[in-house]
Amino acid sequence: METTEKRQRGRPRAFNGPSEASSVQSLDRALRILAIVAEGSGLSLSEIAASSGLAASTAYRMLTTLENHGMVEFDTSDQLWSIGVETYRMGAAFLRRRKLVDRARVVMQELMERTGETANLGVAEDDCVVFVSQVETHQAIRAFFRPGTRSPFHASGIGKAVLAHLEPERVGTILRKAGLQRFTDKTLSDISALAHDLATTKRRGWSVDDEERHPGMRCVAAAIFNEFGEPIGGVSVSGPTVRVTQERLAEIGPLVRDAAAEVTRMIGGVQAG
């Protein structure tokens, strides 16, 4: 027998049904309106409502919400809606990442060939590093990071390369938020040990993840910088410790450092001192 869900008090009948469905519908409508506004050069509420197929009152609620987030702007003099500055910031972020991935590819390919190990590209997020590209070695045993894989700053070569070029206050804020989880016996989960490692990394220009995230794997990394000299990610080489030996670090380190510097140059970045 079909049952009817009891309507919650204080809500109109239009809000009956799963909350997830109405949330997705609202998001879909808002994104539709955002696309309409982006295509115009200043649209009135009635024009937006007509193009979206929504009632003017519904379109207005969507617009004011988008306005609160800087996604659209309202000109009170001519009563027209236009695209907001926040959409530009988001679009610019996408273009930066896309340019970074595309231009780093040839450098990573050469780095893999010169070292014989897998080359990785990662970008810094608020509390972790996200791997976005990889050029795998032809060796049978090799490191593999699926695009989108996340790794804590303190337990990854790229993460430590980034931290080494941030102000101590910023590093402290990141680590307090993310924590210093221990993954292996070699993870630098002590703040003083990590600080010493970061100082060494900054001085020589490349970091080492010495089995700190995965036992039996070693990684060498260097930071990539944007046009303001800020570290935004890094390039790394990773492989099993039987091949990426302690003796090879002095050979691999400068190669990775030079590769990261080349990517920095290619994206119009400024190498930090």
Side-chain angles (χ1 to χ4, degrees):
M1 183 176 69
E2 185 177 332
T3 60
T4 302
E5 183 180 347
K6 185 177 180 180
R7 178 165 60 91
Q8 297 183 33
R9 288 187 174 183
R11 288 188 177 180
R13 293 184 184 278
F15 281 83
N16 251 353
S19 59
E20 293 87 352
S22 61
S23 296
V24 170
Q25 184 183 56
S26 295
L27 179 59
D28 181 72
R29 289 174 172 177
L31 292 174
R32 194 191 324 164
I33 286 177
L34 185 62
I36 291 169
V37 174
E39 291 175 0
S41 56
L43 299 173
S44 66
L45 175 59
S46 60
E47 289 173 324
I48 294 169
S51 296
S52 64
L54 299 173
S57 59
T58 301
Y60 180 73
R61 288 199 301 271
M62 299 294 173
L63 286 166
T64 54
T65 299
L66 291 169
E67 183 184 25
N68 289 337
H69 290 276
M71 307 297 289
V72 299
E73 296 175 352
F74 181 62
D75 189 324
T76 55
S77 61
D78 56 19
Q79 299 288 294
L80 297 179
W81 294 90
S82 57
I83 201 69
V85 69
E86 187 65 15
T87 58
Y88 172 80
R89 188 189 69 81
M90 291 182 178
F94 172 78
L95 290 175
R96 284 197 303 272
R97 177 170 292 189
R98 186 72 262 160
K99 183 172 73 169
L100 174 62
V101 172
D102 289 345
R103 298 193 176 182
R105 193 75 184 174
V106 63
V107 177
M108 294 167 62
Q109 181 69 39
E110 182 180 356
L111 184 60
M112 183 277 290
E113 292 170 356
R114 295 186 69 179
T115 63
E117 301 297 339
T118 297
N120 312 286
L121 177 68
V123 295
E125 298 291 350
D126 289 340
D127 58 356
C128 66
V129 170
V130 179
F131 290 92
V132 295
S133 184
Q134 184 176 69
V135 175
E136 291 185 71
T137 179
H138 304 301
Q139 300 277 3
I141 302 175
R142 56 187 182 270
F144 176 73
F145 298 100
R146 190 180 304 278
T149 298
R150 295 170 177 265
S151 184
F153 278 108
H154 73 288
S156 74
I158 292 177
K160 293 197 296 180
V162 169
L163 291 181
H165 293 281
L166 295 176
E167 294 296 326
E169 294 78 11
R170 175 62 178 149
V171 174
T173 299
I174 291 172
L175 297 181
R176 281 192 297 272
K177 180 180 178 181
L180 291 170
Q181 182 179 350
R182 178 178 288 275
F183 297 97
T184 73
D185 291 341
K186 292 190 174 184
T187 304
L188 300 180
S189 56
D190 176 75
I191 191 66
S192 60
L194 180 60
H196 181 268
D197 186 86
L198 296 181
T200 301
T201 293
K202 185 174 183 179
R203 183 175 64 252
R204 70 188 173 196
W206 45 275
S207 67
V208 178
D209 165 7
D210 188 10
E211 300 184 83
E212 295 160 37
R213 185 67 173 87
H214 301 287
M217 300 300 293
R218 192 169 281 134
C219 170
V220 183
I224 297 169
F225 302 90
N226 63 15
E227 65 270 28
F228 304 108
E230 301 165 338
I232 59 171
V235 172
S236 70
V237 160
S238 53
T241 54
V242 293
R243 292 201 307 265
V244 184
T245 62
Q246 292 287 351
E247 292 73 25
R248 289 197 67 202
L249 294 181
E251 167 203 344
I252 296 174
L255 293 175
V256 175
R257 181 189 60 204
D258 292 346
E262 177 63 10
V263 175
T264 294
R265 185 193 65 78
M266 293 171 75
I267 64 172
V270 177
Q271 191 74 25

